[in-house]
């Protein structure tokens, strides 16, 4: 069965510092991978997605992610974090004919000034 | 991008009553919508897949008689929490599958509090 692991429950970074959020997946076929961001009490906003092609994917708000098949990873990065980036981040994989999204447990990002 | 509207954003109801939550795709047709439940500081748990014109497919452990799902049109799915109890209090989120982009767009969520 497919699964998504986000090893870091909580990460704190200083504003202006670089960020990397880890995501590992387990899926037999080529995965469709997503990163979402959720502000408190809100729904989810798509940051970026990977289906195929270039393994380095650019998203909104200056985020990027790199798909590494050999490591079954899809880590999210941002070179310089802003205070407004503080939120919960979810990695997800789209699986099955029913197009279900399986989510990781999320990583809460705190940004210190 | 495509917009999914969820209503209401928050609701408080008494134990034993029923609450209906609506999920609308505003600018696209969605044959498939999903309902999730999210507990505080936890991930999203898929409750059911809603298909237009057919019965919803519930995930294991989800009570279909308590969480009634109706997907009567290509732009509207509803989740009715029947005979609500305090343990049903949670954040419920819907998403609609935009097949043209193989992407699901999410509503803003509904905070349900049962007192």
């Amino acid at each position: 069965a497919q699964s998504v692991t986000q090893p870091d429950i909580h990460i704190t970074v200083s504003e202006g510092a670089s960020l990397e959020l880890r995501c590992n997946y387990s899926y037999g076929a080529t995965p469709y991978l997503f990163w979402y961001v959720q502000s408190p009490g809100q729904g989810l906003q798509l940051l970026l997605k990977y289906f195929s092609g270039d393994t380095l994917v650019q998203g909104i708000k200056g985020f990027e992610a790199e798909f590494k098949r050999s490591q079954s990873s899809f880590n999210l990065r941002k070179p310089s974090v802003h205070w407004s980036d503080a939120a919960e981040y979810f990695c997800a994989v789209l699986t099955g004919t029913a197009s279900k999204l399986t989510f990781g447990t999320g990583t809460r990002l705190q940004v210190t000034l | 991008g495509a917009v999914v509207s969820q209503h209401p954003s928050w609701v408080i109801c008494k134990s034993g009553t029923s609450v209906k939550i609506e999920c609308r795709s505003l600018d696209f047709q969605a044959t498939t919508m999903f309902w999730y439940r999210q507990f505080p500081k936890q991930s999203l748990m898929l409750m059911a897949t809603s298909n237009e014109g057919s019965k919803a497919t519930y995930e294991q452990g989800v009570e279909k008689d308590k969480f009634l799902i109706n997907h009567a049109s290509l732009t509207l799915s509803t989740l009715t929490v029947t005979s609500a109890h305090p343990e049903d209090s949670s954040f419920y989120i819907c998403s609609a599958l935009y097949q043209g982009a193989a992407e699901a767009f999410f509503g803003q969520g509904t905070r349900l509090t049962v007192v």
Side-chain angles (χ1 to χ4, degrees):
Chain A
Q2 66 279 357
S3 66
V4 179
T5 302
Q6 294 179 246
D8 304 305
I9 297 174
H10 185 202
I11 284 182
T12 301
V13 299
S14 299
E15 188 176 40
S18 63
L19 171 70
E20 182 170 32
L21 302 182
R22 295 184 290 166
C23 173
N24 293 96
Y25 68 90
S26 173
Y27 185 55
T30 300
Y32 288 2
L33 295 160
F34 303 79
W35 273 101
Y36 288 89
V37 60
Q38 183 183 34
S39 297
Q42 298 295 314
L44 275 70
Q45 181 182 24
L46 179 68
L47 288 175
L48 47 79
K49 60 185 177 184
Y50 171 79
F51 287 175
S52 64
D54 193 347
T55 56
L56 184 62
V57 180
Q58 301 297 320
I60 63 171
K61 303 184 179 185
F63 285 94
E64 67 177 26
E66 186 171 12
F67 171 64
K68 293 185 177 180
R69 184 185 299 276
S70 61
Q71 298 178 20
S72 297
S73 69
F74 188 57
N75 294 348
L76 181 72
R77 300 194 296 250
K78 186 170 184 177
S80 179
V81 170
H82 189 262
W83 64 266
S84 60
D85 293 325
E88 188 87 18
Y89 291 81
F90 292 97
C91 180
V93 59
L94 185 67
T95 59
T97 55
S99 299
K100 294 181 183 181
L101 277 172
T102 299
F103 286 88
T105 50
T107 298
R108 179 168 298 276
L109 174 65
Q110 183 177 357
V111 180
T112 58
L113 300 176
Chain B
V3 179
V4 174
S5 177
Q6 194 172 334
H7 178 80
S9 298
W10 60 270
V11 58
I12 301 173
C13 71
K14 293 183 178 180
S15 289
T17 62
S18 295
V19 175
K20 179 184 286 187
I21 303 170
E22 293 186 346
C23 181
R24 294 181 184 272
S25 55
L26 297 186
D27 49 4
F28 67 100
Q29 293 183 331
T31 55
T32 303
M33 292 186 176
F34 303 92
W35 287 96
Y36 297 85
R37 183 173 181 176
Q38 186 179 31
F39 292 99
K41 299 184 179 181
Q42 294 190 28
S43 188
L44 283 75
M45 180 190 76
L46 180 64
M47 298 173 66
T49 302
S50 169
N51 296 295
E52 187 268 336
S54 64
K55 291 183 178 180
T57 303
Y58 290 82
E59 296 299 301
Q60 192 173 8
V62 177
E63 299 177 64
K64 59 183 66 178
D65 293 332
K66 165 166 275 298
F67 299 101
L68 299 180
I69 292 173
N70 184 276
H71 195 157
S73 78
L74 288 171
T75 59
L76 174 64
S77 175
T78 60
L79 168 68
T80 301
V81 183
T82 63
S83 187
H85 288 96
E87 56 265 31
D88 298 325
S89 298
S90 192
F91 193 59
Y92 294 88
I93 304 176
C94 73
S95 72
L97 183 64
Y98 184 30
Q99 292 188 311
E103 182 177 331
F105 292 89
F106 287 79
Q108 69 270 39
T110 297
R111 170 74 58 195
L112 170 63
T113 301
V114 184
V115 297

